[in-house]
Amino acid sequence: EHWANFPIERDRLVGIATKVSRPTLFPSGDIHYSELSRWPEKNLYDATSSGLTETWEYPFPNDNRVEDSLVRTTNFGVLDVDWEKENVGIEFRDKDGAKRYGARLAFADITPPAANCAGEKIRKSLRLRSPSVARSAFRTALLSWGWR
């Protein structure tokens, strides 16, 4: 499935995400291709990656797709959070591990504008969390990303 089939749910999730004061990136999948989407007015990103078993010849229309991020061959996604530099790397790799697309986003660029105006508050709130606990939670959230 894809978000276009669930517009009410998508809008509700985006609405909730714009109210948080933390960097927000949605990892998603199960559409048989990969892409990075951005809602520029909200500073929200959706990194979509699918498993290594299926491909989809015709991607759904997406006005929010980041240029050159579409990967239609079998691939998997990799997210790399750099807590010290306050950014996240997004890569889509083919079945052999070769990078097909990559981007690195600063936390400030994935923080909703209402929260972004208080940048120091965001940095402090990120430091209050134990990096090991945050990394563990992040890994747990990504266990099924790209696999179905």
Side-chain angles (χ1 to χ4, degrees):
E1 292 301 326
H2 59 101
W3 280 114
N5 286 347
F6 304 97
I8 295 170
E9 291 83 356
R10 179 196 58 217
D11 291 346
R12 182 169 181 246
L13 181 61
V14 168
I16 291 168
T18 58
K19 294 176 185 172
V20 302
S21 61
R22 299 217 192 306
T24 305
L25 170 70
F26 298 110
S28 62
D30 198 26
I31 59 171
H32 309 300
Y33 57 86
S34 294
E35 67 183 359
L36 181 64
S37 300
R38 178 177 184 240
W39 290 271
E41 69 283 357
K42 300 181 186 320
N43 278 5
L44 296 176
Y45 284 81
D46 172 30
T48 302
S49 177
S50 288
L52 293 167
T53 60
E54 306 283 334
T55 60
W56 191 257
E57 184 74 20
Y58 306 101
F60 297 105
N62 180 356
D63 293 337
N64 296 316
R65 183 179 297 129
V66 173
E67 187 174 357
D68 297 327
S69 71
L70 179 65
V71 178
R72 288 186 261 195
T73 58
T74 54
N75 67 86
F76 61 95
V78 177
L79 294 181
D80 172 40
V81 179
D82 187 327
W83 298 103
E84 290 180 16
K85 293 182 181 174
E86 298 184 354
N87 63 44
V88 60
I90 300 160
E91 292 182 354
F92 302 133
R93 295 179 173 263
D94 67 21
K95 64 182 179 169
D96 298 318
K99 184 167 69 169
R100 298 292 307 277
Y101 174 78
R104 188 153 285 280
L105 306 172
F107 286 173
D109 293 337
I110 59 171
T111 302
N116 211 6
C117 63
E120 186 57 32
K121 180 180 174 187
I122 292 166
R123 283 189 287 282
K124 286 180 181 175
S125 69
L126 286 169
R127 288 189 185 116
L128 289 176
R129 298 184 125 185
S130 162
S132 62
V133 171
R135 280 192 292 270
S136 175
F138 189 74
R139 280 191 204 109
T140 302
L142 294 178
L143 281 177
S144 64
W145 187 54
W147 297 91
R148 198 69 172 138

